[in-house]
Amino acid sequence: MLPAHVLVVDDESLIRMNLRALLEDLGFRVSEAANGREGLEACDREAPDLVLADLRMPEMDGLSLITALHDKSPDIPVIVVSGTGSVRDAMEAVRRGAWDYITKPVEDQEEFIIIVERTLERARLITENRRYREHLEELVAERTEKLHEQAVMLEQEITERQMAQEQLELRQRQLQELNATLEQRVIDEVEKNREKDRLMSHQARLAAMGEMLSNIAHQWRQPLNSLGLIIQNLQQDYSANMLDKDLLKEYVTSSMDTLCYMSRTISDFQHYFRPNREPGPFDIATTIRETVKLVEPSLQAAGISVRIHDMGTYCVSGFANEFAQVILNIINNAKDALIERGVRNPAIDITCGCKDDCISVSICDNGGGIPAEVMEKIFDPYFTTKVKSQGTGLGLYMAKMIIGKGMGGRLTARNTAEGAEFILEIARQRHQAAAPSASQKSA
């Protein structure tokens, strides 16, 4: 296996020479670039495993290099090696995609080595995790294809049996034997179909867990980076004899605020996958608000606004968490379409109302709508317009099953003048006390 390849981007030749000597002593392959433009060209040409970049450089500075590299090759880790010592510069670099920050000149070589090796190990684990996930998806796809082939063979076999039954109607004894055989086959196939439904439900749940983990990661990434910078600043200030009581208190307060925020994030998500063991009454409006709250940070990061209209109290009977999964799936599909199509001022509108004891929930976006040739297939199992690594094709299928079979309602879709609209229609629960929210149930 080739040693890791490190690209050093710095306009000071002495710094590049020192870093090259230190890295080559550790067994790394090293290449150099004198500015951000040369560094970006070197990344396109050589695809290094790690980039060490200065911030202050001519032609293209370090922040511009980080942004361009993150857009083109987000898997290549970048460590900022800068002499500015500015917390603001460090935080801006991390916000743009940098993985870590080191001040120069590098005086603590052991710490420098630890940071470099830790970053390379983290990148390796991320790559291995992605490959493992892709492998699992291929296995699921292969199993799905086999199930489909079995279903086709089963339909053909049933047809052949029916034809044989018609031909043997004149022979009563043989007909009875055939009926007994068919009855047993029907029982076996019903059990197989139930198992297939359980598999689909499990796959949809895994996809939902992936969405939730993505949202948790999105909300934790910046706080973790902030805590890392605070810890680094503590060490630097202590080494420089600048750490007095007031500054220490400021660092502790900032750290505790960040930890409280992360704790609240876990509290928001922890009830989400707790199954409702028995169906019961719940308020649709409250469930919708809490679901939107879970994904709101990722929507805001994508520049997507969510507008909720006419949210009174609408009590229905069913499983609150399953209903929340339906809302989450439709919102995530709208988010993906808005991002993919680059819509200006992207927005999702959610409206809830009641007419003749029927509650109607409308979820609209301004993403241009669903193509006509796709519209009639969107609720089919395993049908998806996304790439294999981003979708299983089970989300809308399971959503229709939850609303239809689980709650006795109806889920439909149509195109409006601006985009797609999904409509959920559910019978209203009469003479019920106000239903507790999902978070109250988890308390």
Side-chain angles (χ1 to χ4, degrees), residues 218 234 285 428:
H218 176 82
L234 273 172
R428 186 172 187 174

Side-chain angles (χ1 to χ4, degrees), residues 90-108:
M91 294 183 68
E92 178 63 18
V94 171
R95 188 186 69 81
R96 296 198 186 194
W99 290 36
D100 214 324
Y101 185 95
I102 301 174
T103 57
K104 67 177 185 180
V106 177
E107 297 179 353
D108 190 341

Side-chain angles (χ1 to χ4, degrees), residues 296-306 338-339 343-347:
E296 198 166 22
S298 63
L299 293 173
Q300 290 175 350
I304 300 173
S305 62
V306 180
L338 292 169
I339 294 174
V343 177
R344 295 183 61 185
N345 301 319

Side-chain angles (χ1 to χ4, degrees), residues 24-208:
E24 287 181 342
D25 287 343
L26 296 173
F28 294 110
R29 293 185 295 124
V30 182
S31 57
E32 301 177 9
N35 54 59
R37 179 183 56 78
E38 292 182 6
L40 191 60
E41 293 174 352
C43 287
D44 292 337
R45 185 174 59 252
E46 302 171 1
D49 300 302
L50 174 65
V51 176
L52 302 180
D54 190 14
L55 291 181
R56 303 289 187 263
M57 294 184 292
E59 296 194 39
M60 177 187 285
D61 62 16
L63 292 177
S64 299
L65 170 62
I66 292 170
T67 300
L69 186 58
H70 184 72
D71 292 340
K72 296 177 65 175
S73 305
D75 289 339
I76 298 179
V78 180
I79 298 177
V80 173
V81 182
S82 175
T84 64
S86 169
V87 175
R88 179 177 298 177
D89 287 346
M91 294 183 68
E92 178 63 18
V94 171
R95 188 186 69 81
R96 296 198 186 194
W99 290 36
D100 214 324
Y101 185 95
I102 301 174
T103 57
K104 67 177 185 180
V106 177
E107 297 179 353
D108 190 341
Q109 294 186 0
E110 291 186 0
E111 180 184 7
F112 172 81
I113 293 169
I114 290 173
I115 292 175
V116 168
E117 292 180 343
R118 180 182 61 199
T119 302
L120 287 170
E121 176 66 12
R122 177 184 168 194
R124 183 188 67 79
L125 291 175
I126 291 174
T127 301
E128 288 183 357
N129 181 63
R130 182 179 67 252
R131 292 174 179 171
Y132 180 70
R133 184 176 64 249
E134 291 172 354
H135 176 65
L136 289 180
E137 290 171 350
E138 291 175 357
L139 292 178
V140 171
E142 292 175 1
R143 179 57 179 163
T144 300
E145 182 64 24
K146 289 181 181 179
L147 289 175
H148 177 70
E149 293 174 357
Q150 292 175 1
V152 172
M153 294 175 61
L154 173 61
E155 291 176 355
Q156 294 175 351
E157 185 176 351
I158 292 176
T159 301
E160 293 172 357
R161 289 289 183 179
Q162 290 174 344
M163 293 175 60
Q165 182 180 358
E166 293 175 355
Q167 295 173 358
L168 296 174
E169 284 180 349
L170 296 177
R171 305 173 69 173
Q172 185 66 34
R173 184 176 179 180
Q174 294 178 352
L175 177 62
Q176 291 175 350
E177 294 176 356
L178 180 60
N179 285 337
T181 302
L182 287 175
E183 181 179 359
Q184 184 58 47
R185 285 186 176 277
V186 169
I187 293 174
D188 293 342
E189 292 308 321
V190 167
E191 182 59 32
K192 287 182 180 179
N193 287 333
R194 288 176 179 171
E195 181 62 28
K196 184 166 64 175
D197 288 342
R198 286 193 289 267
L199 176 61
M200 288 182 175
S201 177
H202 180 64
Q203 291 173 342
R205 186 171 179 82
L206 290 177

